[in-house]
Structure formats: C-alpha cells, structure tokens
C-alpha cells in the first residue's frame, strides 16, 4: 500500500505584534508600555490553517523567517522530522543562551514550539480532536490558575502611558493603580481574586529589599488566611545567605518559594536548610539540566513553559520525568494572549499529575487576538476547549491592529533594564542584588 501522508505546509506567515502592558516591576527592571508577541500561522496545501503564539523578539522572528523554505512542503504530522530539520539549521540551544533575565532567550525552543503548536492545531482540525486528545487525553475538565501579583507603578501601559481612567472600578481600577506597599498589594490581590476567582496567589518579587517583600507576603497571609496558598518569586536575585534567612521567615506561610537564589548548587543548599518546597523556572530549564538537578536535589517543583521547553510534547515528556523523580510540576507564564493560554490549558489538562495551579499574566493584558474574545475564568480555572485543534481562531482585524502597534512602538525585543532607566536613571540589572 502507498504510504499515507498528511496535509503539507504551503504557506507560513509570521506577524509580530505589540500588546498593551502595564508598568510592572521585576528583578530585571520594568515592563515597557507594550509587550511583544509573535503570531505564527501555517496554511496547508488543502487550505487548513493552524496558529501559535510565542514571546516577541526580532532575532527569533528573523530565524523563523529563515526556516520558512525549510518547512514548506513538510507533512504537519511529521513533527520529529520538522524538529530535526530545525536542529540541523540552528543547532541546539545552550544554557548560556537562556540568559540571566527572568525570561528565556533561546532560539530553537521558541521556533519549534511555534511550529509544533500550529501543526498540532492543524492535526486537531484534520482529525476532529482537540489538542488535549493529541497529548493523551483529558485528566481534568478545568485547569486552575493562580493570581499573579506585581509591584507596579501607576498606569495601564500602551496608549494610556502612565495615566489612569478615573471611571474604572474593580479589577480595571486595580490594574491601573500603583502597587508598591503591602497594603496596595493586598488591594490588588483582592480585586484580582474577586474578578477571576483565583484560589492561590503569587507575588513577583526581586524588586525591593527582601524584608519589604516578606512583609508583603505576611500581609497577604493575614488578609486571605491560611487556606489560600501563597508563593513568592524573587527571580534568583538573592544571595545564598539571604535566601536562607528570609526563606526561614516565610516557611510558615508559603506553598512554595520560587528561585530564591541563582543556580542549581545554591538552590540545593537552600533546599537542604528549608522545609518549604522550592520551585524553579530559572535554574533547571532544559532536559540537559535535569541529571544535575536530580543529583543535587536542586528543587522540588519545575515550572514548565511550552515556549521554553520545546513545545507541548516535550512538556509531556518533562511531566513524566517529574513524576519519575518525585518532582512537582506546574507552569511558568509570560505576557500572553489567548492563543498561548489555549495551548497552556490543553497541556495543563493532559498532564497526569498537575500538582499546583498554573501561573498566568492574562489578567494584566487587555488586548486579544482570537475571534471569541478574552477567555473567561471560573473560580480561577479555565474550561478546556472541546473544539478541534486549539479551539480558538485568529481575529485578523485585531491582528492587523496589534501589528500596527508593533510598527508604531519601535520595540524589537524585551529590555526591562532600558525601561527602568527611563524612571530611575543609571539603574542597572544585577543578577544577584541582595
């Protein structure tokens, strides 16, 4: 019998966009008024479209353009072949290419995750099955997420700049208000949880000296009580002795402490002293990191991200490794729209042992690029789409508008240090600050 083949890639469109982003603070500086994303669309020879979304970066976009000729004509079902073609072209990523900032800067993992998700969107449409079924099927109907708090300056980003809408109420008002003190963070958390129903809370730390952030966590604990899990992420900016000192203070109230210190060796030393679980998306970030992680006992929980681990299927492999070695698993987030959120939900539904609610920046974003509009959260969770593929479709009018934002704003990559220097001249990113 002749070998069966699937739909083949005929066209690839790569569209950089810029979405409104508030002035959120982190260890690397300040979010720009716009966050960059890249939307990738594959169209097959029989007219089926598949889409994906990744963090925006001009260098990665250029590499995606360089991959077009390599991928035209490929069978969308042959993902192993597609991955090998990309490896042959770009090589494998190194740990150094990840960088020291809280976000990942590796090329191959971004490119392949973009192509894989779009291909799986097509495969789902061809087979009439949602992506979760292509990953082995649903383990849950709803995927839980956590409230993600940020220290921030006043303002909503984008065209509003640092201004506010005085008529805004509820979460819309909290999204624009400053949040620099423990009381302001508690108000932010209450508004976000009221609007989205989140059952657990995370604070992006690494912004102020540690005691201020520890005090904020205790304020949240007092406001929400012992039944609401709390997490703190200093983004690896603490020294070893700092991580141990403040980790001990936080032990009674935290669900887990994320990346208090930099590197697997330092994480392992903190882990030997503290009783609370340690999580990471900065010290164990690739399959090559795992053997040393297991040897050292560097963390208890790995925060995956299909954009950074090489796609959805690779993330399922990671889930199996975590189960084998007794590691918890959840997901890291970035400033994303509904295409990435849909992919996260399909993956989160398929993972057998999803031990913690996922991170999401989604409440901080106001734009959207899918036709159904923004996703709805019920009690902090998102229903798993049941339509074929991702279950979302591209809003081409919104895509054109957001692409024009990209052209107008002049940003080509994320650089929180430069943005911070606009507010605090001379400020520089330090990989270890306290």
């Amino acid at each position: 019998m002749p070998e069966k083949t699937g739909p083949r890639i005929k066209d690839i469109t790569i569209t950089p966009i810029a979405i409104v982003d508030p002035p959120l603070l982190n260890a690397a500086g300040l979010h720009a008024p716009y966050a960059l994303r890249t939307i990738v669309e594959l169209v097959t020879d029989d007219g089926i479209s598949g889409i994906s979304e990744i963090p925006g970066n001009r260098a990665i976009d250029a590499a995606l353009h360089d991959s077009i000729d390599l991928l035209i004509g490929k069978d969308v079902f042959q993902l192993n072949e597609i991955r090998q073609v990309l490896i042959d072209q770009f090589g494998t990523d190194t740990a150094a290419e990840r960088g020291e900032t809280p976000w990942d800067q590796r090329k191959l993992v971004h490119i392949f995750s973009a192509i894989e998700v779009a291909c799986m969107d097509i495969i789902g449409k061809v087979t009439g099955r949602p992506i979760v079924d292509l990953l082995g099927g649903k383990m849950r109907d709803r995927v839980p997420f956590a409230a993600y708090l940020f220290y921030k300056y006043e303002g909503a980003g984008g065209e509003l700049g640092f201004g506010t809408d005085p008529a805004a109420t509820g979460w819309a008002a909290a999204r624009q208000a400053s949040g620099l003190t423990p009381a302001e963070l508690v108000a932010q958390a209450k508004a976000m949880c009221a609007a989205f129903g989140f059952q657990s809370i995370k604070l992006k730390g690494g912004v102020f000296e540690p005691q201020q952030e520890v005090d904020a966590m205790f304020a949240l604990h007092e406001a929400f009580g012992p039944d609401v899990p709390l997490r703190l992420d200093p983004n690896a900016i603490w020294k070893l002795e700092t991580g141990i000192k403040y980790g001990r203070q936080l032990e009674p109230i935290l669900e887990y402490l994320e990346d208090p210190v930099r590197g697997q060796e330092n994480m392992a030393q903190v882990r030997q002293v503290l009783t609370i679980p340690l999580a990471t998306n900065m010290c164990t970030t690739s399959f090559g990191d795992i053997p040393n992680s297991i040897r050292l006992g560097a963390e208890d929980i790995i925060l995956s991200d299909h954009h950074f681990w090489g796609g959805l299927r690779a993330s399922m492999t990671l889930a199996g490794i975590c189960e084998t070695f007794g590691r918890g698993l959840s997901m890291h987030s970035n400033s994303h729209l509904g295409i990435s959120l849909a992919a996260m939900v399909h993956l989160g539904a398929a993972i057998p042992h999803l031990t913690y609610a996922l991170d999401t920046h989604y409440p901080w974003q106001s734009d959207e690029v899918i036709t159904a509009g923004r996703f709805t959260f019920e009690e902090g969770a998102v229903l798993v789409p049941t339509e074929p593929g991702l279950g979302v479709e591209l809003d081409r009018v919104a895509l054109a508008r957001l692409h024009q934002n990209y052209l107008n704003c002049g940003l080509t990559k994320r650089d929180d240090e430069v943005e911070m220097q606009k507010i605090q001249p001379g400020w520089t990113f330090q990989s270890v600050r306290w």
Side-chain angles (χ1 to χ4, degrees):
M1 294 180 63
E3 182 181 355
K4 291 184 178 180
T5 61
R8 296 186 178 275
I9 300 171
K10 181 180 179 181
D11 294 305
I12 302 177
T13 304
I14 300 155
T15 308
I17 63 173
I19 61 176
V20 168
D21 206 24
L24 308 178
L25 291 156
N26 63 83
L30 176 69
H31 285 211
Y34 292 94
L36 303 185
R37 306 295 286 177
T38 297
I39 307 301
V40 176
E41 181 179 20
L42 309 185
V43 179
T44 65
D45 50 9
D46 50 0
I48 303 172
S49 169
I51 56 176
S52 64
E53 171 193 344
I54 59 172
N57 179 297
R58 182 168 60 182
I60 293 173
D61 291 349
L64 274 166
H65 280 284
D66 291 342
S67 72
I68 289 177
D69 289 344
L70 302 172
L71 298 175
I72 296 297
K74 297 298 182 186
D75 182 339
V76 297
F77 281 78
Q78 301 303 316
L79 291 168
N80 293 334
E81 177 190 0
I82 287 172
R83 183 174 184 275
Q84 189 59 53
V85 165
L86 293 172
I87 289 173
D88 291 343
Q89 174 70 18
F90 299 110
T92 55
D93 295 310
T94 67
E97 288 171 310
R98 190 226 173 270
E100 292 190 327
T101 56
W103 58 93
D104 200 307
Q105 301 173 70
R106 291 172 294 170
K107 186 179 296 182
L108 180 65
V109 289
H110 282 87
I111 295 170
F112 182 70
S113 68
I115 300 302
E116 184 211 47
V117 170
C119 283
M120 293 186 76
D121 190 23
I122 293 169
I123 293 168
K125 292 173 181 177
V126 169
T127 59
R129 310 295 297 193
I131 281 180
V132 64
D133 287 354
L134 306 181
L135 297 174
K138 281 195 296 187
M139 298 299 293
R140 56 198 60 83
D141 294 319
R142 303 192 316 160
V143 175
F145 289 83
Y148 204 159
L149 309 183
F150 279 82
Y151 290 107
K152 70 181 295 291
Y153 292 126
E154 186 177 60
E159 295 177 359
L160 293 177
F162 284 1
T164 58
D165 176 3
T169 60
W171 171 239
R175 182 178 170 274
Q176 298 174 114
S178 63
L180 297 174
T181 69
E184 288 169 332
L185 283 174
V186 168
Q188 185 187 111
K190 288 182 175 179
M192 186 184 285
C193 290
F196 297 89
F198 294 123
Q199 307 296 305
S200 54
I201 299 171
K202 170 178 172 176
L203 171 63
K204 175 67 78 176
V207 175
F208 297 113
E209 68 85 22
Q211 190 63 59
Q212 181 173 340
E213 297 182 355
V214 170
D215 291 344
M217 297 309 300
F218 274 92
L220 290 166
H221 177 69
E222 182 177 352
F224 286 87
D227 294 332
V228 176
L230 301 178
R231 315 165 181 177
L232 174 64
D233 175 17
N235 271 145
I237 204 168
W238 290 352
K239 298 175 183 177
L240 176 60
E241 57 270 27
T242 306
I244 292 172
K245 175 183 176 180
Y246 292 102
R248 281 176 169 155
Q249 288 189 34
L250 291 162
E251 279 183 321
I253 66 167
L254 286 195
E255 178 185 35
Y256 65 68
L257 179 60
E258 179 182 342
D259 286 314
V261 294
R262 187 167 298 277
Q264 291 180 333
E265 290 76 10
N266 284 334
M267 285 283 284
Q269 290 190 60
V270 175
R271 183 67 195 87
Q272 290 169 10
V273 175
L274 302 185
T275 59
I276 52 173
L278 298 187
T280 188
N281 81 294
M282 294 184 68
C283 79
T284 300
T285 61
S286 69
F287 290 99
D289 293 331
I290 289 175
N292 199 48
S293 165
I294 301 302
R295 182 180 65 83
L296 292 170
E299 72 280 317
D300 303 277
I301 305 153
I302 293 180
L303 303 180
S304 177
D305 187 322
H306 72 275
H307 307 90
F308 302 159
W309 279 84
L312 300 175
R313 297 180 309 145
S315 297
M316 291 297 293
T317 299
L318 175 64
I321 293 172
C322 286
E323 184 178 355
T324 299
F325 289 98
R327 294 292 191 271
L329 182 70
S330 188
M331 284 189 212
H332 163 263
S333 168
N334 42 68
S335 300
H336 58 85
L337 295 180
I339 301 173
S340 280
L341 181 59
M344 291 173 68
V345 170
H346 282 287
L347 178 59
I351 291 171
H353 300 283
L354 188 67
T355 42
Y356 298 90
L358 280 55
D359 291 348
T360 181
H361 287 61
Y362 198 67
W364 292 106
Q365 318 313 148
S366 56
D367 290 312
E368 193 45 281
V369 75
I370 55 176
T371 55
R374 291 179 58 77
F375 271 89
T376 299
F377 289 73
E378 298 177 1
E379 297 180 347
V382 176
L383 285 170
V384 182
T386 56
E387 297 84 358
L390 281 171
V392 297
E393 297 295 332
L394 192 58
D395 182 334
R396 299 184 187 281
V397 173
L399 181 70
R401 176 178 63 83
L402 296 175
H403 177 59
Q404 190 60 51
N405 278 357
Y406 174 81
L407 298 176
N408 293 344
C409 76
L411 299 172
T412 59
K413 66 176 182 178
R414 180 174 175 179
D415 192 334
D416 290 19
E417 181 181 65
V418 167
E419 292 301 322
M420 190 68 157
Q421 289 169 353
K422 295 175 182 178
I423 307 299
Q424 297 185 27
W427 189 93
T428 57
F429 167 65
Q430 298 174 42
S431 59
V432 177
R433 188 178 292 270
W434 286 287

